[in-house]
Amino acid sequence: MTTNTFANRSGILGLFKPYKQQITLRIDGDVLAWAKRDGAGYQSRINAALRKAMLEDVRLTRKKA
């Protein structure tokens, strides 16, 4: 799958809203504590941090191409 195909399918280009998918994920305790420090909404904060990292990776990948 090319970067552009991934970007289109995952909603990176804003063509559609990505759907939520329930998973089981093991993360370090200190990372979880950091995400939970402000209370409710920690899962959304984790998602936002991962999305930021993903978008930066896609941006860098496109820059190389």
Side-chain angles (χ1 to χ4, degrees), residues 52-63:
K52 182 178 176 181
M54 177 189 68
L55 290 172
E56 180 64 14
D57 179 66
V58 169
R59 184 186 69 79
L60 291 174
T61 302
R62 286 183 184 166
K63 199 172 188 178

Side-chain angles (χ1 to χ4, degrees), residues 4-25:
N4 286 336
T5 302
F6 173 76
N8 287 330
R9 290 186 182 173
S10 63
I12 294 170
L13 301 179
L15 301 176
F16 67 94
K17 183 177 179 180
Y19 64 92
K20 301 287 184 183
Q21 187 169 354
Q22 185 173 349
I23 63 165
T24 300
L25 176 68

